[in-house]
Amino acid sequence: MPYPEAYQKVLNADLLIRPLVPEDVPAVLDVERQGYSHPWSESVFLDCFKDNYRVWGACHGGDLVGYAVLAYIVDEAHLLNICVHPRARGEGVGRYLLRYVLATAAHEGMSQLLLEVRVSNHAAIGLYQDEGFREIGLRPGYYPAANGREDARVMMRALGE
């Protein structure tokens, strides 16, 4: 399956975006556990290596510094998880990875990308808005939180425009 030319080598602080494989899951779990208060389990990540999923990693100097997990359903991409290692935050890794998955999803024929984001995650919401996402709904109690549950904003961006 052909990918955009950006797949070959990207020049964002020598960041390389590549498809991840099940053998990358230990490194993904390390980033996940440092990045989230309620991390996904190993079995959830392993379940994402199916034909209708895309699991991308952002690597710098051979080290995994971020990843994104998408599900493709008919002509719609759903960003299920995106995380950047705390040491690499604020360096543009998340923005570059998001732009990469948007371009790849469009290249693969997806018409839009949907995502959920915690209502308290103002940095991510700002990034998504900067990249053309708009809020289309709210999912009450979607995320686990320290004191119960937290709502999610549902955001969408059309692709190929």
Side-chain angles (χ1 to χ4, degrees):
M1 147 176 41
Y3 292 103
E5 287 184 28
Y7 171 73
Q8 304 305 319
K9 173 83 172 162
V10 295
L11 298 175
N12 177 14
D14 297 321
L15 197 65
L16 173 69
I17 307 294
R18 66 172 177 84
L20 295 180
V21 295
E23 292 76 21
D24 291 310
V25 169
V28 170
L29 285 170
D30 180 55
V31 175
E32 174 85 357
R33 290 175 180 147
Q34 292 188 56
Y36 291 130
S37 61
H38 296 82
W40 282 9
S41 68
E42 179 180 17
S43 63
V44 170
F45 279 108
L46 288 171
D47 200 43
C48 294
F49 292 96
K50 297 178 181 172
D51 287 346
N52 65 316
Y53 284 77
R54 302 295 181 269
V55 185
W56 296 106
C59 300
H60 184 260
D63 294 327
L64 184 74
V65 295
Y67 60 85
V69 179
L70 293 89
Y72 285 12
I73 304 161
V74 188
D75 68 341
E76 181 179 287
H78 190 160
L79 181 61
L80 302 173
N81 193 340
I82 187 168
C83 187
V84 173
H85 193 288
R87 288 190 311 258
R89 290 185 183 159
E91 298 177 8
V93 174
R95 183 177 305 275
Y96 191 86
L97 185 55
L98 179 63
R99 287 178 177 176
Y100 184 85
V101 300
L102 285 165
T104 302
H107 179 78
E108 293 184 326
M110 299 295 109
S111 65
Q112 63 183 3
L113 191 141
L114 291 169
L115 60 85
E116 290 86 14
V117 59
R118 288 179 183 270
V119 295
S120 64
N121 192 343
H122 303 291
I125 291 167
L127 169 64
Y128 298 139
Q129 288 172 334
D130 286 351
E131 295 300 320
F133 285 83
R134 62 182 174 83
E135 185 171 345
I136 60 168
L138 187 72
R139 295 195 199 281
Y142 186 76
Y143 287 108
N147 298 325
R149 307 291 297 177
E150 182 175 356
D151 295 348
R153 293 174 72 171
V154 182
M155 302 184 83
M156 187 273 296
R157 179 180 154 180
L159 301 175
E161 296 180 348

